[in-house]
Amino acid sequence: KGGGVPFVVVTPNCPNDFYRDISSGEKYETFFIEEFIPAIEKRYHGNGKRAIAGLSMGGYGTLYHGFRHPDMFTAMYAMSPATSTWGEPSPTLMDLASNADVSKLPKITIETGTEDSTVSLASVQTFVNKLKANNIPHDFITRPGGHDWSFWQECLPKALKLAGDTFK
């Protein structure tokens, strides 16, 4: 009725490894790319159009996977994203942004709250500055809010709209 595009929303959880393969043996990225996404595609008869979104550590995962596997996603929406991790292994998000093929990247939106006490606005701004320096198109939204569900609930409709728009 509203002209929207139907799609499936899947919300995987992750241990504290930032959605990456890590040296201690956790292989989340391998699982996510090689097993999880193909299983979802098969189960729900996917058409290969996917967007990725996440909040906080999931925002990091959103940016990480969107830059590492740009051919797999039409859009990425990072809400209050962590933009670095302690003892971050290579490649870092900064590395990925520095070496990205801009022509292959999905649409990027980053939204963060100006009162976020968990992920500092300054750290997100540093990453956004890297995007600007590398001429990577993106939308950067800051608005009042913290690192909490009331902030993210206002992000969600925008993330869903971005996904739907890129699926058309």
Side-chain angles (χ1 to χ4, degrees), residues 112-123:
T112 195
T114 54
E115 287 84 43
D116 192 326
S117 60
T118 303
V119 174
S120 75
L121 178 57
S123 69

Side-chain angles (χ1 to χ4, degrees), residues 50-108:
R50 296 175 216 95
I52 188 168
L55 54 95
S56 193
M57 182 177 71
Y60 179 99
T62 294
L63 296 168
Y64 181 78
H65 290 295
F67 276 93
R68 292 258 301 164
H69 309 281
D71 55 313
M72 294 186 73
F73 304 102
T74 60
M76 50 178 136
Y77 203 107
M79 301 169 251
S80 308
T83 52
S84 63
T85 68
W86 291 107
E88 187 173 13
S90 274
T92 67
L93 289 181
M94 294 295 216
D95 295 336
L96 294 172
S98 293
N99 298 309
D101 180 343
V102 176
S103 69
K104 294 182 180 177
L105 289 174
K107 290 182 149 293
I108 302 168

Side-chain angles (χ1 to χ4, degrees), residues 7 51 53 75 77 79 111 154-164:
F7 56 88
Y77 203 107
M79 301 169 251
E111 185 166 1
E154 290 184 36
C155 296
L156 186 57
K158 294 179 260 183
L160 293 172
K161 180 173 181 349
L162 177 64

